[in-house]
């Protein structure tokens, strides 16, 4: 099964815990292990869900490498999308 990447409000909390406790963290009996945010990781995911608009993420890389992007924040540059962009408002966009 391919990895499902989620960029979410909890990522900041998970990242802070990871910095304090190590490369993985358990939240509600589920283990989250940090993976690098690289084009290869993005491309390997079935979909990328954007639920927050942190400026530290490379949104151009998401647009160029993700097969499916669900963008709840409107931060992924539509003109650079090569896969399918599913915005919360507006029409579906195919790159």
């Amino acid at each position: 099964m391919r990895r499902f990447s989620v960029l979410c409000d909890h990522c900041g909390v998970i990242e802070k815990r990871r910095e304090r406790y190590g490369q993985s963290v358990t939240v509600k009996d589920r283990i989250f292990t940090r993976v690098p945010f690289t084009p290869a990781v993005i491309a390997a995911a079935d979909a990328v869900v954007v639920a927050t608009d942190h400026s530290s993420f490379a949104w151009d890389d998401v647009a160029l490498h993700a097969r499916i992007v669900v963008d709840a924040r409107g931060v992924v540059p539509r003109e650079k999308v090569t896969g399918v962009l599913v915005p919360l408002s507006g029409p579906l966009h195919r790159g």
Side-chain angles (χ1 to χ4, degrees), residues 3 5 7 10 18 20 27 29 33 35 37 39 41 44-45 49 52 55-58 61-62 66-68 78 90 94:
R3 202 174 273 133
S5 296
L7 308 180
H10 300 299
R18 186 203 59 79
R20 184 172 178 188
V27 178
D29 297 325
T33 302
V35 295
F37 189 72
V41 169
V49 178
T52 188
S55 61
S56 62
F57 288 110
D61 283 347
V62 173
R67 288 181 280 167
I68 299 172
R78 180 178 291 263
R94 295 181 189 275

Side-chain angles (χ1 to χ4, degrees), residues 16-74:
K16 291 295 180 196
R17 284 184 163 184
R18 186 203 59 79
E19 288 172 4
R20 184 172 178 188
Y21 300 110
Q23 292 296 313
S24 65
V25 62
T26 303
V27 178
K28 294 186 179 182
D29 297 325
R30 185 165 176 205
I31 298 172
F32 292 88
T33 302
R34 184 173 193 255
V35 295
F37 189 72
T38 64
V41 169
I42 295 167
D46 292 324
V48 175
V49 178
V50 180
T52 188
D53 58 357
H54 292 297
S55 61
S56 62
F57 288 110
W59 300 120
D60 286 355
D61 283 347
V62 173
L64 293 171
H65 301 288
R67 288 181 280 167
I68 299 172
V69 181
V70 179
D71 186 2
R73 305 301 296 165

